[in-house]
Protein backbone atom coordinates (compact mmCIF):
# COMPACT_ATOMS: atom_id res chain seq x y z
CA UNK A 1 0.00 0.00 0.00
CA UNK A 2 1.17 3.57 -0.63
CA UNK A 3 2.63 5.24 2.42
CA UNK A 4 1.46 8.59 3.71
CA UNK A 5 4.82 10.09 2.70
CA UNK A 6 4.65 8.80 -0.87
CA UNK A 7 1.07 9.98 -1.36
CA UNK A 8 1.94 13.39 0.08
CA UNK A 9 4.89 13.57 -2.30
CA UNK A 10 2.74 12.73 -5.33
CA UNK A 11 0.65 15.81 -4.72
CA UNK A 12 3.61 17.90 -5.88
CA UNK A 13 3.49 16.25 -9.35
CA UNK A 14 0.45 17.05 -11.55
CA UNK A 15 1.18 14.04 -13.78
CA UNK A 16 -0.41 11.73 -11.25
CA UNK A 17 -3.70 13.62 -11.19
CA UNK A 18 -3.87 13.87 -14.97
CA UNK A 19 -6.86 11.94 -16.27
CA UNK A 20 -4.91 10.79 -19.34
CA UNK A 21 -1.73 9.75 -17.53
CA UNK A 22 -2.96 9.06 -14.02
CA UNK A 23 -3.40 5.33 -14.62
CA UNK A 24 0.12 4.94 -16.01
CA UNK A 25 2.61 3.12 -13.81
CA UNK A 26 5.60 5.28 -14.65
CA UNK A 27 8.85 3.36 -14.16
CA UNK A 28 11.03 5.24 -16.66
CA UNK A 29 12.38 7.98 -14.42
CA UNK A 30 15.99 7.54 -15.56
CA UNK A 31 14.87 8.68 -19.02
CA UNK A 32 13.12 11.72 -17.59
CA UNK A 33 11.37 12.43 -14.33
CA UNK A 34 7.94 13.89 -13.85
CA UNK A 35 7.81 17.64 -13.27
CA UNK A 36 7.07 19.46 -10.07
CA UNK A 37 4.03 21.70 -9.92
CA UNK A 38 6.31 24.46 -8.69
CA UNK A 39 8.52 24.01 -11.76
CA UNK A 40 5.51 24.15 -14.08
CA UNK A 41 4.12 27.19 -12.25
CA UNK A 42 7.31 29.25 -12.35
CA UNK A 43 7.83 28.41 -16.02
CA UNK A 44 4.26 29.35 -16.89
CA UNK A 45 4.51 32.53 -14.82
CA UNK A 46 7.67 33.59 -16.64
CA UNK A 47 6.11 33.19 -20.08
CA UNK A 48 2.77 34.71 -19.12
CA UNK A 49 3.75 37.51 -16.77
CA UNK A 50 7.50 38.23 -16.94
CA UNK A 51 8.69 37.32 -20.41
CA UNK A 52 11.72 39.60 -20.65
CA UNK A 53 15.39 39.03 -21.41
CA UNK A 54 18.21 38.95 -18.87
CA UNK A 55 21.50 40.85 -18.63
CA UNK A 56 20.39 43.36 -21.26
CA UNK A 57 17.54 45.76 -20.65
CA UNK A 58 17.75 48.27 -17.79
CA UNK A 59 14.04 48.51 -17.03
CA UNK A 60 12.68 47.30 -13.71
CA UNK A 61 11.05 44.06 -14.93
CA UNK A 62 14.21 42.93 -16.71
CA UNK A 63 16.31 43.74 -13.67
CA UNK A 64 13.98 41.69 -11.46
CA UNK A 65 14.12 38.61 -13.73
CA UNK A 66 17.90 38.95 -14.10
CA UNK A 67 18.22 38.95 -10.32
CA UNK A 68 16.17 35.74 -10.06
CA UNK A 69 18.16 34.24 -12.93
CA UNK A 70 21.43 34.83 -11.08
CA UNK A 71 19.95 33.71 -7.77
CA UNK A 72 19.22 30.42 -9.50
CA UNK A 73 22.94 30.11 -10.21
CA UNK A 74 23.63 30.52 -6.49
CA UNK A 75 20.99 27.90 -5.68
CA UNK A 76 22.74 25.38 -7.93
CA UNK A 77 26.07 26.35 -6.37
CA UNK A 78 24.72 25.38 -2.94
CA UNK A 79 22.99 22.30 -4.34
CA UNK A 80 26.26 20.71 -5.50
CA UNK A 81 28.62 22.37 -2.99
CA UNK A 82 30.54 24.52 -5.48
CA UNK A 83 32.94 27.17 -4.15
CA UNK A 84 31.47 30.01 -6.22
CA UNK A 85 28.36 30.70 -8.26
CA UNK A 86 30.73 31.75 -11.03
CA UNK A 87 31.63 28.09 -11.42
CA UNK A 88 28.09 27.30 -12.62
CA UNK A 89 27.54 27.46 -16.38
CA UNK A 90 24.09 27.08 -17.94
CA UNK A 91 23.86 24.67 -20.88
CA UNK A 92 21.11 22.80 -22.75
CA UNK A 93 21.89 19.64 -20.79
CA UNK A 94 24.63 17.27 -19.70
CA UNK A 95 25.44 16.37 -23.30
CA UNK A 96 26.21 19.97 -24.20
CA UNK A 97 28.16 20.38 -20.96
CA UNK A 98 30.42 17.47 -21.87
CA UNK A 99 30.85 18.72 -25.42
CA UNK A 100 31.71 22.21 -24.17
CA UNK A 101 34.56 20.83 -22.06
CA UNK A 102 35.70 18.36 -24.72
CA UNK A 103 35.78 20.98 -27.48
CA UNK A 104 37.71 23.41 -25.31
CA UNK A 105 40.28 20.89 -24.12
CA UNK A 106 40.81 19.60 -27.65
CA UNK A 107 42.08 23.01 -28.77
CA UNK A 108 45.11 23.22 -26.51
CA UNK A 109 45.18 20.81 -23.57
CA UNK A 110 46.00 17.41 -25.04
CA UNK A 111 49.41 16.48 -26.42
CA UNK A 112 50.64 13.46 -28.40
CA UNK A 113 50.95 10.35 -26.24
CA UNK A 114 48.18 11.40 -23.84
CA UNK A 115 45.39 9.02 -22.93
CA UNK A 116 41.74 9.64 -22.09
CA UNK A 117 40.02 7.17 -19.78
CA UNK A 118 36.30 6.38 -19.69
CA UNK A 119 34.45 3.49 -18.12
CA UNK A 120 32.68 0.67 -19.95
CA UNK A 121 29.48 1.87 -18.26
CA UNK A 122 29.33 5.27 -19.92
CA UNK A 123 26.42 6.82 -21.77
CA UNK A 124 27.26 7.53 -25.40
CA UNK A 125 27.40 11.23 -24.54
CA UNK A 126 30.43 10.56 -22.35
CA UNK A 127 32.13 8.32 -24.90
CA UNK A 128 31.70 9.76 -28.37
CA UNK A 129 33.17 13.27 -27.77
CA UNK A 130 36.32 11.78 -26.22
CA UNK A 131 36.54 9.06 -28.85
CA UNK A 132 36.41 11.60 -31.66
CA UNK A 133 39.02 13.80 -30.00
CA UNK A 134 41.30 10.81 -29.46
CA UNK A 135 41.03 9.86 -33.11
CA UNK A 136 41.61 13.42 -34.32
CA UNK A 137 44.63 14.07 -32.09
CA UNK A 138 46.23 10.63 -32.07
CA UNK A 139 45.45 10.01 -28.41
CA UNK A 140 44.67 6.74 -26.68
CA UNK A 141 41.16 6.05 -25.43
CA UNK A 142 41.31 3.52 -22.60
CA UNK A 143 38.36 1.87 -20.90
CA UNK A 144 37.85 0.99 -17.24
CA UNK A 145 36.65 -2.63 -17.23
CA UNK A 146 33.54 -4.15 -15.67
CA UNK A 147 32.82 -7.65 -14.39
CA UNK A 148 30.30 -10.07 -15.88
CA UNK A 149 27.42 -8.28 -14.14
CA UNK A 150 28.48 -4.80 -15.22
CA UNK A 151 30.13 -3.66 -11.98
CA UNK A 152 33.26 -1.54 -12.32
CA UNK A 153 36.50 -3.39 -11.53
CA UNK A 154 38.04 -0.81 -9.25
CA UNK A 155 41.61 -2.02 -8.91
CA UNK A 156 41.96 -2.78 -12.60
CA UNK A 157 40.59 0.69 -13.32
CA UNK A 158 43.01 2.39 -10.95
CA UNK A 159 45.89 0.50 -12.54
CA UNK A 160 45.01 2.08 -15.92
CA UNK A 161 45.53 5.60 -14.58
CA UNK A 162 49.18 6.50 -15.18
CA UNK A 163 51.47 9.41 -16.02
CA UNK A 164 50.12 9.51 -19.58
CA UNK A 165 46.54 9.98 -18.40
CA UNK A 166 45.36 13.48 -19.32
CA UNK A 167 41.66 13.14 -18.55
CA UNK A 168 39.29 10.73 -16.80
CA UNK A 169 35.59 11.00 -17.72
CA UNK A 170 33.25 8.81 -15.69
CA UNK A 171 29.60 8.64 -14.71
CA UNK A 172 28.76 9.11 -11.04
CA UNK A 173 25.94 6.60 -11.57
CA UNK A 174 25.42 4.22 -14.50
CA UNK A 175 22.34 5.25 -16.46
CA UNK A 176 21.91 1.71 -17.81
CA UNK A 177 22.35 -0.28 -14.59
CA UNK A 178 22.06 2.14 -11.68
CA UNK A 179 25.50 1.36 -10.18
CA UNK A 180 27.03 4.05 -8.01
CA UNK A 181 30.62 4.19 -9.20
CA UNK A 182 33.55 4.63 -6.76
CA UNK A 183 34.37 8.03 -8.20
CA UNK A 184 36.20 9.28 -5.09
CA UNK A 185 38.87 6.60 -5.56
CA UNK A 186 39.07 7.30 -9.30
CA UNK A 187 39.41 11.06 -8.74
CA UNK A 188 42.06 10.64 -6.04
CA UNK A 189 44.24 8.45 -8.27
CA UNK A 190 43.75 10.86 -11.18
CA UNK A 191 44.96 13.75 -9.03
CA UNK A 192 48.11 11.83 -8.14
CA UNK A 193 49.15 11.75 -11.81
CA UNK A 194 47.92 15.27 -12.62
CA UNK A 195 44.95 14.22 -14.78
CA UNK A 196 41.75 16.23 -15.11
CA UNK A 197 38.46 14.61 -14.10
CA UNK A 198 34.97 15.06 -15.49
CA UNK A 199 32.03 13.42 -13.72
CA UNK A 200 28.68 12.88 -15.43
CA UNK A 201 26.23 13.32 -12.56
CA UNK A 202 23.05 13.17 -14.62
CA UNK A 203 21.68 10.10 -12.84
CA UNK A 204 23.10 11.05 -9.45
CA UNK A 205 21.91 14.50 -8.47
CA UNK A 206 18.30 13.59 -7.72
CA UNK A 207 19.31 10.49 -5.73
CA UNK A 208 22.58 11.39 -3.98
CA UNK A 209 23.85 14.41 -2.08
CA UNK A 210 26.68 15.80 -4.21
CA UNK A 211 29.57 17.94 -2.96
CA UNK A 212 31.95 18.77 -5.80
CA UNK A 213 34.50 20.36 -3.49
CA UNK A 214 34.67 17.24 -1.36
CA UNK A 215 34.93 15.07 -4.48
CA UNK A 216 37.62 17.41 -5.84
CA UNK A 217 36.52 16.74 -9.42
CA UNK A 218 37.45 19.34 -12.03
CA UNK A 219 34.14 19.25 -13.93
CA UNK A 220 30.68 17.95 -13.01
CA UNK A 221 27.70 17.93 -15.37
CA UNK A 222 23.98 17.19 -15.12
CA UNK A 223 20.58 17.88 -16.68
CA UNK A 224 17.46 19.40 -15.18
CA UNK A 225 14.86 17.09 -16.68
CA UNK A 226 15.98 14.02 -14.70
CA UNK A 227 15.63 15.80 -11.35
CA UNK A 228 11.99 16.98 -11.56
CA UNK A 229 13.05 20.07 -13.54
CA UNK A 230 12.51 21.38 -17.06
CA UNK A 231 13.88 19.93 -20.26
CA UNK A 232 16.46 21.88 -22.23
CA UNK A 233 18.45 23.10 -19.23
CA UNK A 234 21.65 21.68 -17.84
CA UNK A 235 24.65 22.59 -15.74
CA UNK A 236 28.38 22.53 -16.19
CA UNK A 237 30.35 22.95 -12.99
CA UNK A 238 34.04 23.67 -13.47
CA UNK A 239 36.77 24.87 -11.15
CA UNK A 240 37.04 28.54 -11.87
CA UNK A 241 40.69 28.58 -12.95
CA UNK A 242 39.91 25.83 -15.46
CA UNK A 243 36.90 27.67 -16.83
CA UNK A 244 39.13 30.70 -17.28
CA UNK A 245 41.56 28.62 -19.35
CA UNK A 246 38.89 27.03 -21.56
CA UNK A 247 38.22 28.92 -24.81
CA UNK A 248 34.74 30.18 -25.59
CA UNK A 249 32.43 27.46 -26.90
CA UNK A 250 29.97 29.53 -28.93
CA UNK A 251 30.31 33.12 -30.04
CA UNK A 252 27.67 35.84 -30.04
CA UNK A 253 25.82 38.27 -27.85
CA UNK A 254 26.18 38.59 -24.08
CA UNK A 255 29.44 36.64 -23.82
CA UNK A 256 31.54 39.56 -25.04
CA UNK A 257 33.06 42.57 -23.31
CA UNK A 258 34.02 44.56 -26.36
CA UNK A 259 33.81 44.03 -30.11
CA UNK A 260 35.46 45.89 -32.97
CA UNK A 261 36.09 44.88 -36.55
CA UNK A 262 39.65 43.99 -35.59
CA UNK A 263 39.30 42.33 -32.19
CA UNK A 264 36.95 40.90 -29.55
CA UNK A 265 37.37 40.45 -25.82
CA UNK A 266 35.19 38.03 -23.86
CA UNK A 267 33.40 38.11 -20.54
CA UNK A 268 34.88 36.05 -17.71
CA UNK A 269 33.21 32.74 -16.78
CA UNK A 270 30.45 31.79 -16.60
CA UNK A 271 29.08 34.36 -19.09
CA UNK A 272 31.90 33.54 -21.52
CA UNK A 273 30.12 30.24 -22.23
CA UNK A 274 26.55 31.58 -22.42
CA UNK A 275 26.26 33.18 -25.84
CA UNK A 276 22.81 34.33 -26.93
CA UNK A 277 19.55 34.41 -25.03
CA UNK A 278 19.56 31.60 -22.46
CA UNK A 279 16.75 29.27 -21.44
CA UNK A 280 15.49 31.68 -18.80
CA UNK A 281 12.36 29.73 -17.93
CA UNK A 282 14.44 26.55 -17.66
CA UNK A 283 16.89 28.22 -15.27
CA UNK A 284 14.07 29.46 -13.05
CA UNK A 285 12.45 26.04 -13.07
CA UNK A 286 15.73 24.30 -12.23
CA UNK A 287 16.07 26.46 -9.15
CA UNK A 288 12.69 25.24 -7.89
CA UNK A 289 13.70 21.62 -8.49
CA UNK A 290 16.99 22.03 -6.60
CA UNK A 291 15.27 23.66 -3.66
CA UNK A 292 12.65 20.92 -3.53
CA UNK A 293 15.24 18.12 -3.51
CA UNK A 294 17.28 19.84 -0.82
CA UNK A 295 14.22 20.40 1.33
CA UNK A 296 12.97 16.81 1.04
CA UNK A 297 16.31 14.99 0.68
CA UNK A 298 15.92 12.63 3.67
CA UNK A 299 12.36 11.69 2.75
CA UNK A 300 13.32 11.08 -0.88
CA UNK A 301 16.24 8.84 0.06
CA UNK A 302 14.20 6.79 2.53
CA UNK A 303 11.33 6.24 0.11
CA UNK A 304 13.68 5.29 -2.72
CA UNK A 305 15.56 2.81 -0.55
CA UNK A 306 12.38 1.03 0.49
CA UNK A 307 11.00 0.97 -3.05
CA UNK A 308 14.21 -0.44 -4.44
CA UNK A 309 14.20 -3.27 -1.91
CA UNK A 310 10.60 -4.09 -2.87
CA UNK A 311 11.57 -4.08 -6.55
CA UNK A 312 14.50 -6.42 -5.93
CA UNK A 313 12.28 -8.81 -3.97
CA UNK A 314 9.73 -8.80 -6.81
CA UNK A 315 12.32 -9.51 -9.51
CA UNK A 316 14.30 -12.15 -7.60
CA UNK A 317 11.05 -14.05 -7.06
CA UNK A 318 10.81 -14.73 -10.82
CA UNK A 319 13.15 -17.62 -11.78
CA UNK A 320 13.63 -16.59 -15.42
CA UNK A 321 14.85 -13.08 -14.49
CA UNK A 322 18.55 -12.21 -14.46
CA UNK A 323 19.58 -9.01 -12.72
CA UNK A 324 22.44 -6.84 -13.96
CA UNK A 325 24.55 -4.34 -12.11
CA UNK A 326 25.39 -3.75 -8.46
CA UNK A 327 22.43 -4.47 -6.22
CA UNK A 328 24.22 -3.25 -3.10
CA UNK A 329 25.71 0.03 -4.25
CA UNK A 330 22.97 1.37 -6.49
CA UNK A 331 20.33 4.01 -6.86
CA UNK A 332 16.73 2.84 -7.32
CA UNK A 333 17.30 1.59 -10.87
CA UNK A 334 17.40 -2.07 -11.89
CA UNK A 335 18.15 -3.61 -15.27
CA UNK A 336 17.19 -7.19 -16.02
CA UNK A 337 16.74 -9.70 -18.79
CA UNK A 338 14.41 -12.67 -19.04
CA UNK A 339 15.80 -15.92 -20.40
CA UNK A 340 14.57 -16.66 -23.90
CA UNK A 341 12.39 -13.54 -24.17
CA UNK A 342 13.05 -10.33 -26.08
CA UNK A 343 13.18 -7.22 -23.94
CA UNK A 344 11.28 -5.39 -26.69
CA UNK A 345 8.38 -7.85 -26.54
CA UNK A 346 8.18 -7.39 -22.79
CA UNK A 347 8.09 -3.61 -23.20
CA UNK A 348 5.27 -3.77 -25.76
CA UNK A 349 3.09 -5.99 -23.59
CA UNK A 350 3.86 -4.02 -20.43
CA UNK A 351 2.99 -0.82 -22.27
CA UNK A 352 -0.40 -2.29 -23.19
CA UNK A 353 -0.92 -2.72 -19.46
CA UNK A 354 -0.08 0.98 -18.93
CA UNK A 355 3.35 0.24 -17.47
CA UNK A 356 6.16 2.44 -18.78
CA UNK A 357 9.67 0.99 -18.70
CA UNK A 358 12.72 1.52 -20.90
CA UNK A 359 14.22 -1.30 -22.94
CA UNK A 360 17.18 -1.57 -25.26
CA UNK A 361 20.79 -0.55 -24.90
CA UNK A 362 19.98 2.68 -22.99
CA UNK A 363 22.51 4.65 -25.04
CA UNK A 364 25.21 2.34 -23.69
CA UNK A 365 25.95 0.03 -26.64
CA UNK A 366 29.57 -0.66 -25.60
CA UNK A 367 28.39 -1.82 -22.18
CA UNK A 368 25.85 -4.21 -23.70
CA UNK A 369 28.62 -5.57 -25.93
CA UNK A 370 30.83 -6.14 -22.89
CA UNK A 371 28.00 -8.02 -21.16
CA UNK A 372 27.24 -10.10 -24.26
CA UNK A 373 23.61 -8.99 -24.50
CA UNK A 374 21.67 -6.75 -26.89
CA UNK A 375 19.79 -4.85 -24.21
CA UNK A 376 17.86 -5.01 -20.97
CA UNK A 377 14.58 -4.00 -19.42
CA UNK A 378 15.27 -1.07 -17.10
CA UNK A 379 12.98 -0.18 -14.23
CA UNK A 380 13.89 3.21 -12.82
CA UNK A 381 12.06 4.44 -9.77
CA UNK A 382 11.58 7.81 -8.12
CA UNK A 383 10.38 8.64 -4.65
CA UNK A 384 6.86 9.40 -5.96
CA UNK A 385 6.45 5.77 -7.01
CA UNK A 386 4.77 3.53 -4.44
CA UNK A 387 4.33 -0.09 -3.43
CA UNK A 388 1.23 -0.44 -5.58
CA UNK A 389 3.36 0.39 -8.63
CA UNK A 390 5.74 -2.45 -7.76
CA UNK A 391 2.91 -4.93 -7.21
CA UNK A 392 1.17 -4.01 -10.46
CA UNK A 393 4.46 -4.24 -12.34
CA UNK A 394 5.38 -7.60 -10.81
CA UNK A 395 2.00 -9.12 -11.61
CA UNK A 396 2.08 -7.81 -15.17
CA UNK A 397 5.65 -8.98 -15.72
CA UNK A 398 4.74 -12.54 -14.74
CA UNK A 399 1.74 -12.44 -17.09
CA UNK A 400 3.87 -11.18 -19.97
CA UNK A 401 6.56 -13.78 -19.38
CA UNK A 402 3.88 -16.47 -19.43
CA UNK A 403 2.44 -15.15 -22.67
CA UNK A 404 5.84 -14.89 -24.35
CA UNK A 405 7.30 -18.17 -23.17
CA UNK A 406 7.83 -20.77 -25.89
CA UNK A 407 5.83 -23.32 -23.89
CA UNK A 408 2.87 -20.95 -23.59
CA UNK A 409 -0.40 -22.42 -24.94
CA UNK A 410 -0.49 -19.44 -27.31
CA UNK A 411 2.56 -20.82 -29.10
CA UNK A 412 1.70 -24.50 -29.24
CA UNK A 413 -1.05 -23.89 -31.74
CA UNK A 414 -0.52 -24.61 -35.41
CA UNK A 415 1.46 -21.71 -36.80
CA UNK A 416 0.37 -19.67 -39.76
CA UNK A 417 1.79 -20.36 -43.17
CA UNK A 418 1.24 -18.57 -46.43
CA UNK A 419 2.20 -18.56 -50.05
CA UNK A 420 2.97 -15.04 -51.12
CA UNK A 421 3.00 -16.05 -54.80
CA UNK A 422 -0.61 -17.29 -54.79
CA UNK A 423 -3.74 -15.26 -55.34
CA UNK A 424 -5.27 -16.28 -52.00
CA UNK A 425 -6.25 -13.54 -49.53
CA UNK A 426 -3.52 -12.63 -47.03
CA UNK A 427 -4.02 -14.95 -44.04
CA UNK A 428 -1.87 -12.93 -41.62
CA UNK A 429 -3.65 -9.69 -42.42
CA UNK A 430 -7.03 -11.42 -42.12
CA UNK A 431 -6.18 -12.90 -38.73
CA UNK A 432 -5.10 -9.48 -37.44
CA UNK A 433 -8.24 -7.83 -38.80
CA UNK A 434 -10.36 -10.42 -36.99
CA UNK A 435 -8.66 -9.70 -33.66
CA UNK A 436 -11.06 -8.03 -31.25
CA UNK A 437 -8.56 -6.67 -28.70
CA UNK A 438 -4.95 -5.58 -28.50
CA UNK A 439 -3.90 -8.84 -26.80
CA UNK A 440 -5.47 -10.87 -29.60
CA UNK A 441 -3.69 -8.65 -32.14
CA UNK A 442 -0.32 -9.25 -30.53
CA UNK A 443 -0.98 -12.98 -30.22
CA UNK A 444 -1.68 -13.12 -33.94
CA UNK A 445 1.47 -11.10 -34.61
CA UNK A 446 3.56 -13.48 -32.53
CA UNK A 447 2.03 -16.46 -34.31
CA UNK A 448 2.82 -14.78 -37.62
CA UNK A 449 6.37 -14.32 -36.45
CA UNK A 450 6.68 -18.06 -35.97
CA UNK A 451 5.93 -18.54 -39.67
CA UNK A 452 8.92 -16.40 -40.60
CA UNK A 453 11.97 -18.41 -41.62
CA UNK A 454 14.81 -17.41 -39.29
CA UNK A 455 17.99 -16.06 -40.85
CA UNK A 456 21.13 -18.12 -40.53
CA UNK A 457 23.82 -16.44 -38.39
CA UNK A 458 26.06 -15.74 -41.41
CA UNK A 459 23.36 -13.47 -42.85
CA UNK A 460 23.06 -11.37 -39.68
CA UNK A 461 25.69 -8.87 -40.74
CA UNK A 462 26.20 -5.14 -40.40
CA UNK A 463 25.09 -4.80 -44.02
CA UNK A 464 21.76 -6.49 -43.35
CA UNK A 465 21.22 -4.82 -39.97
CA UNK A 466 18.43 -2.27 -39.59
CA UNK A 467 19.18 -0.21 -36.55
CA UNK A 468 16.40 0.52 -34.10
CA UNK A 469 16.94 1.43 -30.47
CA UNK A 470 14.93 -1.27 -28.75
CA UNK A 471 15.09 -4.31 -31.01
CA UNK A 472 17.63 -5.69 -33.44
CA UNK A 473 16.39 -6.27 -37.00
CA UNK A 474 18.07 -7.81 -40.03
CA UNK A 475 16.70 -7.57 -43.56
CA UNK A 476 17.77 -9.16 -46.86
CA UNK A 477 16.23 -8.08 -50.17
CA UNK A 478 16.73 -9.85 -53.48
CA UNK A 479 15.03 -10.34 -56.84
CA UNK A 480 14.07 -13.67 -58.39
CA UNK A 481 12.71 -13.51 -61.93
CA UNK A 482 11.98 -9.83 -61.38
CA UNK A 483 9.97 -10.44 -58.19
CA UNK A 484 10.94 -9.22 -54.73
CA UNK A 485 12.11 -11.79 -52.19
CA UNK A 486 12.33 -10.66 -48.56
CA UNK A 487 13.98 -12.38 -45.64
CA UNK A 488 14.39 -10.98 -42.17
CA UNK A 489 14.82 -11.73 -38.52
CA UNK A 490 14.70 -10.21 -35.06
CA UNK A 491 15.03 -11.51 -31.49
CA UNK A 492 11.58 -10.03 -30.90
CA UNK A 493 8.57 -12.23 -31.62
CA UNK A 494 6.42 -9.16 -32.15
CA UNK A 495 8.87 -7.58 -34.58
CA UNK A 496 9.15 -10.88 -36.47
CA UNK A 497 5.36 -10.79 -36.75
CA UNK A 498 5.48 -7.25 -38.09
CA UNK A 499 8.10 -8.35 -40.60
CA UNK A 500 5.81 -11.21 -41.64
CA UNK A 501 3.00 -8.71 -42.25
CA UNK A 502 5.26 -6.57 -44.43
CA UNK A 503 6.71 -9.55 -46.27
CA UNK A 504 3.25 -10.94 -46.94
CA UNK A 505 2.20 -7.66 -48.54
CA UNK A 506 5.34 -7.08 -50.62
CA UNK A 507 7.01 -10.39 -51.41
CA UNK A 508 6.43 -11.60 -54.96
CA UNK A 509 5.74 -8.11 -56.30
CA UNK A 510 7.81 -6.29 -58.88
CA UNK A 511 9.83 -3.30 -57.75
CA UNK A 512 7.35 -1.02 -59.60
CA UNK A 513 4.47 -2.59 -57.65
CA UNK A 514 6.31 -2.16 -54.35
CA UNK A 515 7.01 1.51 -55.03
CA UNK A 516 3.36 2.10 -55.90
CA UNK A 517 2.09 0.22 -52.85
CA UNK A 518 1.13 2.45 -49.89
CA UNK A 519 2.52 0.33 -47.08
CA UNK A 520 1.89 2.94 -44.40
CA UNK A 521 -1.79 3.07 -45.34
CA UNK A 522 -1.93 -0.73 -45.41
CA UNK A 523 -0.46 -1.08 -41.93
CA UNK A 524 -2.75 1.65 -40.63
CA UNK A 525 -5.73 -0.31 -41.98
CA UNK A 526 -4.56 -3.20 -39.80
CA UNK A 527 -4.24 -0.84 -36.81
CA UNK A 528 -0.47 -1.33 -36.93
CA UNK A 529 0.39 2.17 -38.11
CA UNK A 530 1.77 3.13 -34.71
CA UNK A 531 4.68 0.78 -35.35
CA UNK A 532 5.80 3.13 -38.14
CA UNK A 533 6.40 5.86 -35.57
CA UNK A 534 9.60 7.85 -35.91
CA UNK A 535 10.41 6.99 -32.31
CA UNK A 536 13.41 4.76 -31.79
CA UNK A 537 11.27 1.73 -31.07
CA UNK A 538 11.40 -1.29 -33.32
CA UNK A 539 13.03 0.16 -36.41
CA UNK A 540 10.01 -0.73 -38.58
CA UNK A 541 10.12 2.59 -40.42
CA UNK A 542 13.76 1.86 -41.20
CA UNK A 543 12.75 -1.58 -42.51
CA UNK A 544 10.22 -0.01 -44.86
CA UNK A 545 12.72 2.62 -45.95
CA UNK A 546 15.33 -0.04 -46.69
CA UNK A 547 12.91 -2.03 -48.84
CA UNK A 548 11.88 1.10 -50.74
CA UNK A 549 15.51 2.11 -51.26
CA UNK A 550 16.32 -1.35 -52.62
CA UNK A 551 13.40 -1.20 -55.04
CA UNK A 552 14.32 2.30 -56.20
CA UNK A 553 17.87 1.15 -56.87
CA UNK A 554 16.71 -1.89 -58.86
CA UNK A 555 13.81 -0.36 -60.78
CA UNK A 556 14.61 0.10 -64.49
CA UNK A 557 14.69 3.75 -65.49
Amino acid sequence: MPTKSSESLRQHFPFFSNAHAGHCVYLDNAATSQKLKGVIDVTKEYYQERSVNVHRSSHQLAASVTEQFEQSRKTVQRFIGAKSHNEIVWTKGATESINLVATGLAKSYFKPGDSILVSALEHHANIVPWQQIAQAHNLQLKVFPVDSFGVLKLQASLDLIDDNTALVAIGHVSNALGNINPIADIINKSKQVGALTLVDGTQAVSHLAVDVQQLNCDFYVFSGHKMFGPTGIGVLYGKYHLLEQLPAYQLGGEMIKKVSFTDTTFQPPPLKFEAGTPNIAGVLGLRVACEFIQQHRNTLLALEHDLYQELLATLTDIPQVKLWGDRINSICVQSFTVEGISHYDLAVLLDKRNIAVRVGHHCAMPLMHELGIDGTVRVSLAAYNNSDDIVVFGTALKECIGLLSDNSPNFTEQTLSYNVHSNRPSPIAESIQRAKSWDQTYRQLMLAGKSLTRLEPQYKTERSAVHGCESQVWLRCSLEQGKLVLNGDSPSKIVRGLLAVIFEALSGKTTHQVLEFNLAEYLTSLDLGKHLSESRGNGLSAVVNKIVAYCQLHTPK
Side-chain angles (χ1 to χ4, degrees), residues 336-370:
F336 67 92
T337 51
V338 178
E339 185 178 359
I341 294 178
S342 162
H343 49 75
Y344 174 75
D345 290 347
L346 282 171
V348 170
L349 297 186
L350 287 170
D351 180 51
K352 286 299 179 180
R353 290 163 170 78
N354 292 318
I355 298 171
V357 297
R358 173 82 181 271
V359 301
H361 52 67
H362 316 297
C363 296
M365 286 184 180
L367 173 62
M368 299 300 146
H369 179 75
E370 289 292 314

Side-chain angles (χ1 to χ4, degrees), residues 341-348 358-362 365 374-376 454 464-475 489-499 531 535-543:
I341 294 178
S342 162
H343 49 75
Y344 174 75
D345 290 347
L346 282 171
V348 170
R358 173 82 181 271
V359 301
H361 52 67
H362 316 297
M365 286 184 180
D374 63 354
T376 68
R454 306 297 298 270
S464 65
V466 182
H467 295 288
C469 180
E470 295 175 343
S471 178
Q472 293 176 304
V473 182
W474 296 273
L475 174 70
D489 205 351
S490 171
S492 161
K493 292 177 178 177
I494 292 173
V495 173
R496 289 201 301 273
L498 291 167
L499 291 176
H531 293 285
S535 72
R536 298 181 297 169
N538 50 40
L540 198 61
S541 286
V543 169

Side-chain angles (χ1 to χ4, degrees), residues 204-273:
V205 289
S206 67
H207 303 286
L208 306 172
V210 174
D211 188 325
V212 293
Q213 289 190 78
Q214 184 177 359
L215 287 172
N216 197 25
C217 59
D218 296 301
F219 303 101
Y220 196 98
V221 308
F222 60 95
S223 299
H225 72 98
K226 301 193 182 193
M227 50 175 289
F228 315 139
T231 58
I233 187 67
V235 170
L236 164 63
Y237 156 80
K239 291 181 177 178
Y240 191 76
H241 73 278
L242 294 174
L243 293 179
E244 285 184 306
Q245 295 170 25
L246 282 180
Y249 180 54
Q250 293 181 326
L251 307 176
E254 191 53 35
M255 51 81 66
I256 51 87
K257 275 187 177 179
K258 183 179 180 182
V259 177
S260 71
F261 285 113
T262 58
D263 195 22
T264 298
T265 56
F266 302 123
Q267 294 269 28
L271 296 181
K272 178 172 73 172
F273 304 106

Side-chain angles (χ1 to χ4, degrees), residues 360-421:
H361 52 67
H362 316 297
C363 296
M365 286 184 180
L367 173 62
M368 299 300 146
H369 179 75
E370 289 292 314
L371 299 179
I373 55 179
D374 63 354
T376 68
V377 182
R378 184 186 68 188
V379 176
S380 49
L381 303 168
Y384 46 58
N385 289 116
N386 57 39
S387 297
D388 284 353
D389 291 340
I390 307 298
V391 171
V392 170
F393 164 72
T395 301
L397 179 61
K398 291 176 182 178
E399 291 175 356
C400 294
I401 291 173
L403 179 62
L404 292 165
S405 296
D406 287 334
N407 58 0
S408 165
N410 296 293
F411 293 103
T412 58
E413 306 169 31
Q414 182 178 358
T415 60
L416 292 170
S417 61
Y418 57 89
N419 180 355
V420 297
H421 298 288

